[in-house]
Amino acid sequence: MERESSDPRPILYMVIPCYNEEEVLPLTSKDFLKKLYELIQMDMISEESKILFVNDGSKDKTWEIIKQLAKSDEHFEGISQSRNRGHQNAVLAGLMEAKDRADITISIDCDGQDDINAMDLMIQEYMDGSEIVYGVRNDRGTDTFFKRTSAEGFYKLLTWMGVETVYNHADYRLVSAKVLREFANFKEVNIFLRGMFPLVGFKSTCVYYKRQERLAGESHYPLSKMLALAFDGITSLSIKPIRMITVFGILVSLLSFIGVIWSVVLHFMGYSIQGWASTTSIICFIGGVQLISLGVIGEYIGKIYLETKGRPRYIISERTDDISAEINTIKKSKNGEEV
């Protein structure tokens, strides 16, 4: 359902996932609001535009801060998930909430590392006809050597696996409502957004920016979560690992067949005594290959199991809209109006 409005300026929703961000949120929320007002004053977006925070089951005071922000300015809104579901599900929840209320959405992390001034170029590209605009880092100077090399290796691995992604793009992107309505038809539970949006199609382009240091607090994306995201990206969008196992299995089978012939020949030549080391090595090698192969195949079967259940990808337990409605009701009752 398309939004009807006489205002030619698009309604923008900034979708910002938050998990335990009580230290940085009071700082970056001011920057987001300032940028929103700048875009409104430049007539690039409608005054109905919003900043939508998605609380991903935070255990600190993040949700209380979001509620206070919603009370302080009408351009702030927030939704809270019933529990922590992960960054990708939090972004998805915000996008799906905004798709029927906004013309465009821009998803961005709340840590202040992504350059919010790149939004100007993103919106301009949208006005020029692009339906998806990817925010792409032009360098990784702020990353540690390990993170830089592992991230670049990850993107190259995805490309080699046949996954269509934008190099050095994370989840800072502009997406039109038209794309989101089509994206809503993607029902998979295992989500890897940076690999899924290219599958939707439509005209797209890139905007390049320099990533900054985190303003406050610590990153909530440790190595374990990065590896889990990488594995989800590969297994959700590529079946190449299973094909590799098949090819590797054929090669091992050929080598084993050659080994059988070799042992038979040695037997008839009178050299049938075999050393325990070679036997043990072969058994360990074949056993290791089988366990690794079963693990990879099991990962795919596990994902099929989750997909067949059709569980909801996110559950919203609370909204700042509800708080605003309660405040308006109280105000009306105080003024003697009929509620």
Side-chain angles (χ1 to χ4, degrees):
M1 184 173 110
E2 298 206 12
R3 182 188 67 86
E4 295 182 3
S5 175
S6 58
D7 192 343
R9 298 172 299 174
I11 293 179
L12 165 67
Y13 266 61
M14 294 184 196
V15 175
I16 306 170
C18 306
Y19 177 67
N20 292 347
E21 301 289 3
E22 64 178 1
E23 292 184 44
V24 74
L25 191 54
L27 302 175
T28 55
S29 60
K30 297 176 183 177
D31 294 333
F32 292 132
L33 186 61
K34 181 181 177 183
K35 171 51 65 176
L36 190 76
Y37 277 120
E38 285 179 1
L39 294 171
I40 292 173
Q41 290 169 3
M42 290 189 294
D43 281 336
M44 295 187 72
I45 60 174
S46 169
E47 293 179 0
E48 298 177 44
S49 299
K50 303 284 185 179
I51 298 170
L52 178 61
F53 293 108
V54 183
N55 176 43
D56 187 25
S58 298
K59 298 177 182 178
D60 60 3
K61 297 180 180 179
T62 296
W63 180 235
E64 283 69 24
I65 294 172
I66 292 173
K67 290 191 287 186
Q68 290 299 320
L69 289 171
K71 292 177 182 178
S72 68
D73 193 289
E74 62 180 1
H75 290 98
F76 284 123
E77 287 187 6
I79 56 176
S80 182
Q81 297 208 91
S82 59
R83 68 177 183 86
N84 178 252
R85 295 297 300 272
H87 179 272
Q88 298 290 282
N89 291 78
V91 174
L92 178 70
L95 294 178
M96 293 299 100
E97 287 290 310
K99 70 180 175 66
D100 293 324
R101 294 187 279 170
D103 297 304
I104 52 176
T105 61
I106 295 180
S107 56
I108 183 172
D109 290 340
C110 70
D111 54 18
Q113 290 188 275
D114 294 320
D115 183 9
I116 59 174
N117 292 317
M119 292 184 184
D120 301 51
L121 295 175
M122 288 181 169
I123 296 171
Q124 187 57 55
E125 291 290 351
Y126 166 75
M127 300 302 290
D128 291 339
S130 294
E131 300 289 346
I132 305 176
V133 184
Y134 299 102
V136 180
R137 298 177 62 171
N138 55 17
D139 71 80
R140 285 187 169 269
T142 58
D143 288 348
T144 62
F145 173 78
F146 174 76
K147 187 172 182 179
R148 180 168 61 252
T149 53
S150 60
E152 291 175 350
F154 168 60
Y155 283 108
K156 291 177 181 178
L157 178 62
L158 284 178
T159 301
W160 184 72
M161 288 286 182
V163 179
E164 186 180 352
T165 57
V166 178
Y167 189 72
N168 273 341
H169 162 70
D171 287 293
Y172 185 21
R173 72 178 73 83
L174 178 149
V175 183
S176 71
K178 181 190 295 185
V179 173
L180 286 179
R181 284 191 290 272
E182 298 302 326
F183 188 78
N185 295 321
F186 286 59
K187 302 297 184 182
E188 54 255 53
V189 175
N190 304 285
I191 303 168
F192 185 67
L193 296 176
R194 67 192 71 173
M196 292 171 66
F197 273 107
L199 297 177
V200 185
F202 294 97
K203 183 180 178 181
S204 64
T205 188
C206 297
V207 165
Y208 296 87
Y209 69 96
K210 184 175 181 180
R211 191 170 170 87
Q212 309 297 324
E213 295 284 351
R214 186 181 176 92
L215 292 182
E218 297 180 355
S219 173
H220 301 293
Y221 233 74
L223 179 61
S224 58
K225 286 189 176 182
M226 290 174 62
L227 291 175
L229 179 64
F231 210 66
D232 279 344
I234 293 171
T235 55
S236 297
L237 297 168
S238 174
I239 60 170
K240 198 166 186 177
I242 291 183
R243 290 176 177 171
M244 289 170 59
I245 288 173
T246 302
V247 173
F248 192 57
I250 292 172
L251 292 175
V252 171
S253 297
L254 289 174
L255 291 173
S256 300
F257 181 69
I258 294 172
V260 170
I261 296 175
W262 174 70
S263 62
V264 171
V265 171
L266 288 180
H267 173 74
F268 284 108
M269 292 179 64
Y271 301 102
S272 58
I273 299 175
Q274 303 294 325
W276 68 269
S278 59
T279 302
T280 303
S281 298
I282 292 172
I283 292 174
C284 291
F285 175 72
I286 298 299
V289 169
Q290 289 177 334
L291 288 175
I292 292 173
S293 302
L294 286 173
V296 174
I297 295 172
E299 185 69 23
Y300 279 92
I301 293 174
K303 281 182 166 51
I304 294 171
Y305 172 72
L306 292 175
E307 294 291 347
T308 55
K309 285 181 174 295
R311 291 171 176 166
R313 295 175 291 184
Y314 62 91
I315 299 173
I316 305 302
S317 61
E318 196 173 351
R319 305 170 186 270
T320 55
D321 290 351
D322 301 333
I323 299 170
S324 300
E326 289 178 9
I327 293 172
N328 290 333
T329 301
I330 293 171
K331 286 181 179 179
K332 286 182 180 180
S333 62
K334 285 182 178 180
N335 294 332
E337 298 179 20
E338 183 178 347
V339 179

